[in-house]
Amino acid sequence: MKTLIAIAKPVSWASLLLIVVPPLLNFNGSIDSSLMNQLLLAGTVIWFVTASLWMKSE
Amino acid sequence: MSNVHIEEEALEEIIGGEYEREPVPKNALKGPKSFWGMYAGEHAAGTEFMIGPLFLAAGASLKDLMFGLLLGNILAVLTWRYLVVPIAMNRRLTLYYQLEKIAGGNMVKFYNVTNGILFCFLAGAMITVSASAIGVPFDIRFEVPEATFGLSGAAFSAIVMIVGLVIAAVAVGGYQRVAHFSNISAPWMILVFAICGVVSLAQMDAHSFERLETIWNEGVAFVQNTNGKESFGFWKIVIFAWLCNAAMHFGMADLSIFRFSASKSAGWAPSVGMFLGHYMAWICAALMLAAVIATQPSATMNAAGKVQADPGFLAWNALGWTGIICVVIAGWTTANPTIYRAGLAFQSLFPNQHRATGVILAGIVATIAGVFPNLSAQLLGFVGTYGMILGPMGAIIFVNHYLAKRLGFLEDPAVAKKSSFNLAVLLAWLIPAVPGLWLILSKGVFAAYLVIPAWIASAILYVIFGKLMFSNKNQA
């Protein structure tokens, strides 16, 4: 479990990049809103799955 | 707004009974960091999705909104720091125990139930907000009818009832699990609020402030042309931002939180909640409505041809499924503990019944309130009303703490007289609050304008009644 938590913590913080970066890229016109929405959803799922592993233990 | 203070640790302390009837001991005090962490997760609730767009719908200009919210939030933080914290750190009691010492146990029950009813209406608005998001994938939009107690479509009302009853059922099981989930979602949710604004800017193609201001003004003009003229100027925004949490600062509800503070600097901690939730989140949520008006204006209109703020649809339009998930979670995680706390307040009336009874009752009242979408559409007025009704109790605590001894009447009179019902408190509370309520409901006065007058009136009345009813001379 300790290993899992050790992996989950950086992954969950990294997943928040999937929340922040795609809208900025969309704002710049680098990606369209459909791709942005998919990345946001992926970031959301990863955040809740991984954060629930380590936040409970802290 | 929330307003409402919802945080696992604080709830445990406030309603979990820790040092409920004694001053917090020195070894239980907490440093400022705990308060900053706690307030950071607050004020990013489902209702922010509703309140933000209402500013645009009410005709606020973008500059007034940005500077008005800035000043109003600064004033709110100063009120916490200089009004609540000194009394909290001096007495180190919960609001309820402090009130009991002044007003007596039975009077506190009356206050509790009033608070519980207001909590139910707030939770009802959160249920409506969550339901507005759940309806979007099924193409069920919420419609705000003209009448305050008018219903939306049957399908939407059904979603509200299902959401409300599910939230109530979860609340019966306690608040810990949802509070834990709320803590997990907080960092994600704050970012989602922020990106709502970024995505809306992209949708409006607003790459400069001038362009954004032009689009915003066009949005305001569109709403005014369809809904009729309204104004929401700079000072009205300042007053609203300052006093929308008046129950917490002017009303002293946060005595229960700051009694744990080891340092006065903890009093600055609400600034993080204010500027994330009541600044960034409100502006970003308002931008979502501006974006929909700019890109697909007909989508903002209800069957009666009026513009309405549909938080679920706005979030869907900005962020797709992530927006829907955010609105549902933001509404649910705040409605759940609100119903739980309202349930505990009702429970004080039926001490022999199981705890679930009060929570179920609160859940039913909140669900019924949620079925009427106009209540959530009038959230700007409701939170002011909430502060106007509960704020005066803070004035009585203020007078009791600073003035009672100096002016020659009893401090903590219910303790001194072994009374369970202090008539002076009831009169000093209701004499300003009842006419205030009448002005709001019958004359349409903006509720937040009445918070400070009611607070001052209560303070003066409590001094007068205190001198008349329990002057130190009479006791001698």
Side-chain angles (χ1 to χ4, degrees):
Chain A
M1 191 65 186
K2 271 188 178 175
T3 314
L4 193 61
I5 288 169
I7 297 168
K9 200 166 179 177
V11 170
S12 60
W13 289 120
S15 74
L16 292 181
L17 290 174
L18 283 173
I19 303 296
V20 176
V21 176
L24 295 173
L25 294 175
N26 177 253
F27 184 75
N28 282 337
S30 305
I31 62 170
D32 64 15
S33 54
S34 168
L35 176 59
M36 175 191 75
N37 286 349
Q38 288 169 20
L39 293 170
L40 287 174
L41 187 58
T44 297
V45 171
I46 296 168
W47 168 258
F48 280 102
V49 170
T50 54
S52 60
L53 291 173
W54 64 268
M55 274 197 167
K56 196 171 185 176
S57 65
E58 288 192 356
Chain B
M1 118 163 169
S2 170
N3 68 40
V4 179
H5 282 250
I6 290 138
E7 202 274 339
E8 184 173 23
E9 186 182 9
L11 277 172
E12 275 175 9
E13 287 155 357
I14 295 164
I15 58 185
E18 200 176 0
Y19 312 116
E20 203 175 37
R21 302 187 68 80
E22 60 182 311
V24 176
K26 273 192 178 169
N27 61 6
L29 299 184
K30 293 171 184 184
K33 199 178 157 193
S34 329
F35 295 88
W36 285 87
M38 184 194 133
Y39 277 97
E42 290 187 25
H43 304 288
T47 43
E48 317 323 339
F49 279 111
M50 194 81 215
I51 291 174
L54 289 176
F55 285 113
L56 188 151
S61 80
L62 187 58
K63 277 184 183 157
D64 281 350
L65 187 63
M66 291 171 71
F67 292 109
L69 290 182
L70 181 70
L71 179 57
N73 284 322
I74 288 172
L75 290 170
V77 175
L78 289 172
T79 311
W80 261 297
R81 169 64 185 81
Y82 290 106
L83 191 70
V84 183
V85 170
I87 298 178
M89 288 181 63
N90 187 279
R91 302 232 164 194
R92 303 207 176 276
L93 301 175
T94 66
L95 166 73
Y96 301 102
Y97 191 46
Q98 178 59 70
L99 270 183
E100 193 180 316
K101 287 166 99 101
I102 302 171
N106 287 335
M107 180 64 215
V108 171
K109 278 184 190 172
F110 182 49
Y111 169 85
N112 249 340
V113 171
T114 308
N115 201 357
I117 292 167
L118 292 168
F119 269 152
C120 284
F121 280 98
L122 207 55
M126 292 165 187
I127 292 168
T128 310
V129 168
S130 287
S132 77
I134 291 170
V136 171
F138 305 103
D139 204 22
I140 298 168
R141 295 279 304 275
F142 101 129
E143 295 267 340
V144 181
E146 287 287 319
T148 301
F149 290 101
L151 293 171
S152 190
F156 183 77
S157 298
I159 292 177
V160 169
M161 283 191 270
I162 293 167
V163 171
L165 294 176
V166 167
I167 290 173
V170 174
V172 168
Y175 65 90
Q176 286 94 340
R177 279 176 187 277
V178 177
H180 174 62
F181 185 73
S182 175
N183 286 348
I184 291 174
S185 54
W188 167 85
M189 198 185 297
I190 289 166
L191 290 178
V192 172
F193 270 110
I195 63 165
C196 281
V198 176
V199 172
S200 300
L201 291 174
Q203 288 176 337
M204 292 184 279
D205 199 21
H207 287 78
S208 70
F209 185 78
E210 288 73 24
R211 167 92 178 126
L212 173 62
E213 200 173 19
T214 304
I215 295 170
W216 179 281
N217 291 339
E218 287 168 1
V220 170
F222 177 77
V223 178
Q224 306 258 320
N225 286 338
T226 48
N227 292 13
K229 205 155 175 60
E230 268 192 86
S231 69
F232 210 94
F234 175 78
W235 287 108
K236 196 170 181 178
I237 296 168
V238 171
I239 295 290
F240 178 80
W242 181 14
L243 301 172
C244 64
N245 277 136
M248 308 303 165
H249 46 67
F250 272 109
M252 304 273 180
D254 280 2
L255 287 180
S256 304
I257 292 171
F258 285 115
R259 70 196 159 117
F260 285 96
S261 174
S263 155
K264 284 183 181 170
S265 64
W268 301 113
S271 59
V272 68
M274 289 294 98
F275 285 97
L276 285 175
H278 292 189
Y279 194 81
M280 181 271 287
W282 282 355
I283 291 174
C284 289
L287 291 176
M288 292 196 298
L289 179 60
V292 178
I293 292 174
T295 54
Q296 39 177 330
S298 59
T300 62
M301 295 168 88
N302 63 18
K306 295 210 165 178
V307 176
Q308 63 176 29
D310 176 347
F313 176 77
L314 294 178
W316 166 261
N317 182 65
L319 307 176
W321 282 102
T322 304
I324 295 284
I325 293 167
C326 185
V327 175
V328 172
I329 290 176
W332 173 52
T333 53
T334 44
N336 189 86
T338 306
I339 287 174
Y340 184 83
R341 294 177 76 182
L344 290 187
F346 292 154
Q347 194 64 33
S348 63
L349 289 182
F350 317 106
N352 297 327
Q353 296 288 316
H354 189 269
R355 177 178 55 80
T357 312
V359 178
I360 290 168
L361 179 65
I364 291 170
V365 175
T367 304
I368 292 169
V371 167
F372 303 110
N374 216 335
L375 295 178
S376 61
Q378 293 179 19
L379 212 50
L380 293 182
F382 175 76
V383 292
T385 307
Y386 182 70
M388 194 282 294
I389 293 174
L390 298 182
M393 275 300 190
I396 290 164
I397 292 172
F398 178 88
V399 169
N400 180 72
H401 183 74
Y402 289 113
L403 302 177
K405 273 186 185 166
R406 285 180 203 181
L407 296 178
F409 62 96
L410 286 178
E411 197 174 283
D412 295 340
V415 175
K417 297 182 81 176
K418 295 191 173 110
S419 160
S420 64
F421 197 95
N422 182 346
L423 184 64
V425 172
L426 182 72
L427 293 174
W429 178 28
L430 293 187
I431 287 175
V434 171
L437 202 57
W438 176 77
L439 285 172
I440 293 163
L441 298 177
S442 300
K443 300 293 173 187
V445 174
F446 186 57
Y449 286 154
L450 297 172
V451 174
I452 292 178
W455 197 93
I456 293 170
S458 275
I460 294 169
L461 286 169
Y462 188 64
V463 170
I464 294 168
F465 292 131
K467 294 278 283 178
L468 289 175
M469 293 184 194
F470 34 84
S471 130
N472 278 335
K473 280 182 190 168
N474 292 349
Q475 307 308 311

